[in-house]
Amino acid sequence: MTSATVRPPVRQPVQRHGNGIRRGQTRAGLLFTAPAVILLVVFLVVPIVMALWVSVSDWGGRGSPFSSDVNFVGLKNYGAITSGGGLAESDFGTALRNNLWYVLLVVPLQTALALLLASLVNSRLLKGRGFFRTAFYFPSVTSSVAITVLWFFLFSPAGAVNALLRIFGIQGPNWPADATGVLHGLLAAVGVQNGPGFLTGAGFLGVSWWDWLAGPSFGMLILISMAVFTTSGTFMLLFIAALQNLSGEVEEAAMMDGTSGWQRFRLVTLPQLRPTLFTVLTLGLIGTWQVFDQVYTGSKGAPGKTTLTPAFLSYQAGFINQQWGQAAAIAFILFAIIVALTLFQRFVLRERGVSKRRMRRNGFITGADGAYRAADRSIATAETGGTDLTGSSRGDRR
Amino acid sequence: MQRRIPRTRIRRTVAAMAATAGVFALTACGSGFNDPQASGGASGSAGALSSSDQPLTVLIGSSGDAETAAVKSAVADWSSSSGTKATVQAASDLNQQLSQGFASGKPADVFYLGADTFANYAKQGSLLAYGDQLKNKDDYYPSLVTNFTYDGKFTCAPKDFSTLALEINTKMWDAAGLTDADVPTTWDQLKSVAQKLTTPKVAGLVTSNEYQRLGAFMVEAGGNLMNDTSTKATADSAANKQALTYVQDGLKSGWWKFTTDVGAGWGGEAFGKGQAAMTIEGNWITGAMKSDYPDVDYKVVPLPAGPAGKGTLQFTNCWGIAADSPNQAAALKLVEQLTSSDDQLAFAKAFGPMPSVQSAADGWKKIYPDYSAFIDSADFAKGVPTAAGNGDVVTDLNSKLGSLKTADIDSLLGTAQKNLSALQG
């Protein structure tokens, strides 16, 4: 209690509770958030903690993972899928390889397509915008199982896609059965059948570097095209919402500055869409790393394990092979990958201030309050034909 | 300052609440799980069966309505004669539902189990090893009993089984000028008739590109992926190499094609659509032909003999009983009834499976005289590997068999050998 004298008087409990109108707010707040918090804990936190425990235990799938005969085995399960040279390791490596190619293709494609569709249906010139919006969004609300079945039907060796290719004189591959990686296929077309020794000799996670570079298989292309088709509609919706929020004045101002349509899109619209772009890329990244239902209903990893994904591998390891520890370990590694990539993406897309050099070049100087203002008002005034746009707009804002 | 103090406090209290709720939830979950030790699961130990008046749940992985109805009626019959209530549930994903049951400590009492996955469950102690207590245990085909023996214990009663045989499209057979005397009995004859049957549009023989079909040729050459008791990997044997070389040779010369090459989902589809003059499938093909391709005339003959004599693969399921079942005694009685000669013949009539007991073989032949090749093949059939974890290895092998035409057989079998050997460790 000797230290009590040092304590600042503000920390006295009497002062915290004693201010009239706010009394009891804390308790009420907690009460109102309790249902949501409890639901989150029971259905999210507890299962995650259980899964984390399973991933470091020897639980075999019978009874509670917390019962006394389940032992802590450290990182053994993680070790089995990341080292040791066994089938578990090479399966995990293959699954990561497949999913990496899937992400690399799906995320940029679906984002670009969504943005394109959103710009199209957002333009005032288009007639029947409502129809197109519905049409583009439709695949997103259709059952993914139904679309998977349909997609595999389209890509069957005698299906519509190959019939279409035949019109152009191209003999299409046997899509669902062709395990050849696209890049390997291209290399084989120019006569390179086997990779150089430094690629085939060494590898990572039981998969040689040459195989890491195989590219998605033709079977995987089915899933990739399907993902782009179904999800770009959802993300189009996000982009439309963002586009409609943009103020027309900025666009008009850019027009007055004599920008071309493409310049306006690239330099004016796109930077303003940055938050939405981040959302779309993050959602896309998370969704593509967790791809499961298309594999489960469509290909089950075939052809030649080239559509095996970590999420499906985790399901298989658990429910089919009863290797629950390994299944949970795969899930947590996947989780780590997603978090790491999201953080990386956040870093890349962070809000960057325009560099001082660039600001100066554009005729701005730092004011006393740290904000930039036009260095030479007369230039701006002259350019806008006598009306002080910069000045008045700034005035409005304050 | 004023605003910051309550906020930290709220945060702290929320964290505390979350932690308390978490503990509550954990204890709640903990009590939800039956402790397997406490609930008297006599896992593996013979003799002490649990017994109570609790109703039984039967979980089946059904092939369709006919099978579900047949099992339901058989179980209902047993229920009314024994006085124990029992309900049948058709699973949509059997392995998943079984796993959930075992993990929660409240599994179905009696359920289907595949030969290739049963060891995974036996290893975790979820199964009651009741085989030796069956009254009719000597009636089962010995090779099926071997299939369901884990760790030296006859674990579960074989439900039924299937073997692979050769199906021939009789129209194409006659058109090629072949007669009954030409039915192939050796590999060379198979090759020569298949070549005769091959036209630009039809392949002589179409099979799926998996061990579950090509393995029959391994058996005919005297090999298999593992020994009969699935205790030793024999994948890289010379016999297996000989078998795959024969298949590879057929693929290269074009009289043998894989289903994926002709765009069919399985052998029966290629056969029914007339893309194949012959295929190799089990007795499940008869039902599919009847419902999907009723106009195709075909006959079923045993697979030709290889260098080591006759051989084929057999597939089987068993009736598992849960170690955590509260009424194992009644479950055992139910299984004895369901595997009896009479019940199995009723199933055979309803949806065609071959009885797992030898005493019913003649009865089956009477019902299906045209398909006797399947049940005759039981004499020389060998099972697929049953060691725990074999599923991954076979899947891995199958993924490589897809490109068998150009594959290096030695490295393919070598990988399988390495992976199967790792299962023993």
Side-chain angles (χ1 to χ4, degrees):
Chain A
M1 273 329 264
T2 45
S3 64
T5 45
V6 199
R7 213 189 266 165
V10 207
R11 308 284 273 174
Q12 289 300 321
V14 184
Q15 288 214 341
R16 275 200 266 167
H17 279 282
N19 55 45
I21 200 162
R22 286 177 183 272
R23 196 203 313 227
Q25 263 191 359
T26 315
R27 204 173 299 147
L30 287 178
L31 198 69
F32 282 118
T33 49
V37 170
I38 291 172
L39 279 180
L40 279 181
V41 167
V42 171
F43 290 107
L44 212 69
V45 180
V46 173
I48 290 176
V49 170
M50 278 173 94
L52 190 62
W53 163 245
V54 167
S55 79
V56 292
S57 77
D58 64 353
W59 185 62
R62 182 181 174 219
S64 166
F66 295 120
S67 74
S68 54
D69 55 340
V70 176
N71 305 305
F72 176 72
V73 294
L75 295 177
K76 188 166 154 266
N77 292 318
Y78 290 89
I81 54 171
T82 53
S83 61
L87 191 58
E89 186 199 352
S90 67
D91 272 355
F92 184 60
T94 311
L96 276 186
R97 189 266 320 256
N98 299 337
N99 215 332
L100 192 64
W101 284 110
Y102 181 83
V103 172
L104 278 178
L105 283 171
V106 171
V107 174
L109 282 179
Q110 78 187 10
T111 311
L113 186 64
L115 191 54
L116 177 76
L117 293 180
S119 319
L120 284 182
V121 299
N122 199 46
S123 88
R124 284 173 205 90
L125 298 172
L126 188 74
K127 275 182 187 159
R129 277 189 288 169
F131 168 76
F132 284 110
R133 272 182 213 175
T134 318
F136 293 149
Y137 187 60
F138 211 70
S140 308
V141 290
T142 320
S143 137
S144 80
V145 174
I147 293 208
T148 309
V149 172
L150 179 81
W151 221 254
F152 274 84
F153 185 64
L154 288 178
F155 277 90
S156 85
V161 173
N162 276 358
L164 198 69
L165 288 175
R166 242 192 320 277
I167 297 177
F168 300 103
I170 304 167
Q171 179 59 47
N174 183 352
W175 298 90
D178 200 331
T180 322
V182 172
L183 295 184
H184 276 184
L186 286 176
L187 286 173
V190 294
V192 184
Q193 292 287 353
N194 292 306
F198 70 92
L199 285 179
T200 50
F204 177 57
L205 290 175
V207 178
S208 75
W209 291 118
W210 173 246
D211 284 335
W212 276 95
L213 296 173
S217 72
F218 287 99
M220 186 54 121
L221 285 185
I222 302 179
L223 297 185
I224 289 173
S225 58
M226 180 166 67
V228 172
F229 174 73
T230 50
T231 42
S232 48
T234 320
F235 294 140
M236 176 195 75
L237 212 61
L238 293 181
F239 278 127
I240 291 179
L243 284 172
Q244 286 176 344
N245 252 343
L246 300 186
S247 71
E249 284 124 57
V250 181
E251 176 121 17
E252 274 165 30
M255 264 186 220
M256 295 305 289
D257 285 347
T259 49
S260 70
W262 169 244
Q263 274 178 326
R264 260 199 317 281
F265 178 75
R266 194 171 64 90
L267 298 169
V268 178
T269 314
L270 207 53
Q272 295 185 88
L273 288 178
R274 194 202 301 268
T276 317
L277 203 61
F278 176 71
T279 311
V280 167
L281 285 175
T282 307
L283 288 178
L285 201 67
I286 294 174
T288 46
W289 272 107
Q290 292 180 334
V291 57
F292 173 79
D293 40 359
Q294 291 92 332
V295 182
Y296 178 73
T297 45
S299 58
K300 299 242 188 253
K305 289 195 176 177
T306 54
T307 58
L308 198 67
T309 63
F312 184 72
L313 187 70
S314 172
Y315 161 82
Q316 228 179 13
F319 285 103
I320 311 295
N321 301 323
Q322 305 295 314
Q323 296 282 358
W324 294 97
Q326 285 181 20
I330 293 172
F332 275 98
I333 294 181
L334 191 60
F335 169 73
I337 291 174
I338 293 174
V339 169
L341 286 178
T342 309
L343 287 179
F344 173 74
Q345 188 191 308
R346 210 183 142 90
F347 171 74
V348 171
L349 280 183
R350 72 192 182 279
E351 199 74 51
R352 265 167 294 197
V354 183
S355 73
K356 280 188 181 149
R357 194 166 52 87
R358 198 157 171 190
M359 282 300 250
R360 244 176 276 128
R361 203 179 58 208
N362 292 354
F364 288 90
I365 53 158
T366 330
D369 57 350
Y372 284 97
R373 57 197 73 224
D376 188 349
R377 288 264 185 111
S378 60
I379 301 172
T381 323
E383 273 179 357
T384 49
T387 327
D388 188 354
L389 274 178
T390 34
S392 67
S393 73
R394 203 164 54 231
D396 288 346
R397 226 178 30 242
R398 281 188 182 160
Chain B
M1 205 59 189
Q2 286 264 325
R3 265 168 64 208
R4 220 175 66 215
I5 297 166
R7 216 189 270 166
T8 29
R9 222 182 121 243
I10 289 178
R11 210 178 293 147
R12 222 176 287 143
T13 331
V14 167
M17 256 185 62
T20 343
V23 171
F24 272 124
L26 282 182
T27 41
C29 279
S31 66
F33 286 107
N34 267 358
D35 193 354
Q37 269 63 43
S39 69
S43 67
S45 67
L49 292 182
S50 67
S51 182
S52 65
D53 53 1
Q54 294 213 29
L56 295 180
T57 331
V58 182
L59 186 69
I60 64 170
S62 177
S63 62
D65 293 343
E67 181 168 356
T68 311
V71 176
K72 272 188 177 160
S73 111
V75 171
D77 286 351
W78 174 82
S79 228
S80 60
S81 69
S82 70
T84 308
K85 273 192 195 144
T87 49
V88 177
Q89 199 192 341
S92 55
D93 186 331
L94 183 68
N95 276 312
Q96 186 190 328
Q97 278 166 263
L98 279 180
S99 304
Q100 282 166 351
F102 292 138
S104 70
K106 291 189 180 67
D109 303 274
V110 180
F111 40 82
Y112 281 14
L113 264 187
D116 51 343
T117 52
F118 100 99
N120 296 334
Y121 297 106
K123 196 178 173 188
Q124 67 180 217
S126 296
L127 302 182
L128 172 77
Y130 65 89
D132 288 329
Q133 302 177 54
L134 286 162
K135 270 193 226 124
N136 53 346
K137 74 166 182 168
D138 296 327
D139 198 10
Y140 297 104
Y141 287 95
S143 64
L144 298 181
V145 173
T146 315
N147 265 206
F148 291 112
T149 300
Y150 179 80
D151 207 8
K153 274 178 270 187
F154 177 21
T155 302
C156 53
K159 180 172 78 71
D160 50 34
F161 75 114
S162 323
T163 57
L164 295 177
L166 184 68
E167 289 83 31
I168 299 173
N169 183 317
T170 42
K171 212 178 199 175
M172 295 180 186
W173 186 262
D174 295 342
L178 296 163
T179 63
D180 281 355
D182 295 315
V183 169
T185 54
T186 66
W187 282 7
D188 287 340
Q189 289 174 8
L190 178 68
K191 182 179 173 181
S192 90
V193 297
Q195 278 172 333
K196 278 180 197 157
L197 287 164
T198 303
T199 69
K201 287 204 159 173
V202 180
L205 176 65
V206 176
T207 66
S208 10
N209 51 313
E210 47 183 6
Y211 159 74
Q212 284 84 344
R213 300 292 172 278
L214 308 181
F217 290 84
M218 295 182 182
V219 176
E220 285 160 21
N224 203 346
L225 287 184
M226 297 186 91
N227 64 355
D228 291 352
T229 48
S230 280
T231 48
K232 192 169 171 286
T234 57
D236 59 355
S237 68
N240 289 348
K241 190 184 175 186
Q242 193 182 8
L244 290 188
T245 311
Y246 175 72
V247 180
Q248 191 177 48
D249 181 56
L251 292 168
K252 278 182 179 159
S253 39
W255 55 267
W256 192 323
K257 281 205 171 121
F258 285 148
T259 43
T260 48
D261 297 329
V262 299
W266 63 295
E269 187 184 339
F271 187 65
K273 283 184 178 165
Q275 295 165 317
M278 297 188 288
T279 190
I280 296 170
E281 287 291 340
N283 43 311
W284 51 80
I285 196 179
T286 60
M289 293 300 289
K290 202 155 101 190
S291 59
D292 297 344
Y293 313 102
D295 303 331
V296 179
D297 292 325
Y298 66 102
K299 64 179 170 187
V300 184
V301 298
L303 284 176
K310 289 184 172 182
T312 189
L313 283 184
Q314 72 185 14
F315 308 94
T316 176
N317 282 294
C318 79
W319 288 107
I321 295 182
D324 291 335
S325 164
N327 201 354
Q328 292 164 340
L332 180 70
K333 290 259 158 27
L334 172 63
V335 169
E336 274 175 356
Q337 173 69 36
L338 289 173
T339 56
S340 69
S341 190
D342 291 346
D343 270 30
Q344 293 216 47
L345 283 175
F347 290 148
K349 248 181 219 146
F351 58 98
M354 297 202 297
S356 57
V357 289
Q358 298 172 39
S359 59
D362 287 333
W364 195 84
K365 277 193 218 176
K366 264 183 209 133
I367 306 174
Y368 296 112
D370 292 344
Y371 308 140
S372 58
F374 289 120
I375 208 154
D376 291 341
S377 299
D379 298 337
F380 44 83
K382 296 246 190 266
V384 297
T386 56
N390 78 82
D392 271 352
V393 181
V394 173
T395 311
D396 188 61
L397 176 65
N398 287 347
S399 76
K400 287 166 189 151
L401 285 175
S403 53
L404 178 63
K405 196 171 173 178
T406 52
D408 175 20
I409 294 174
D410 277 326
S411 83
L412 193 142
L413 289 173
T415 312
Q417 174 74 15
K418 186 188 91 181
N419 292 335
L420 284 169
S421 306
L423 298 180
Q424 310 303 313

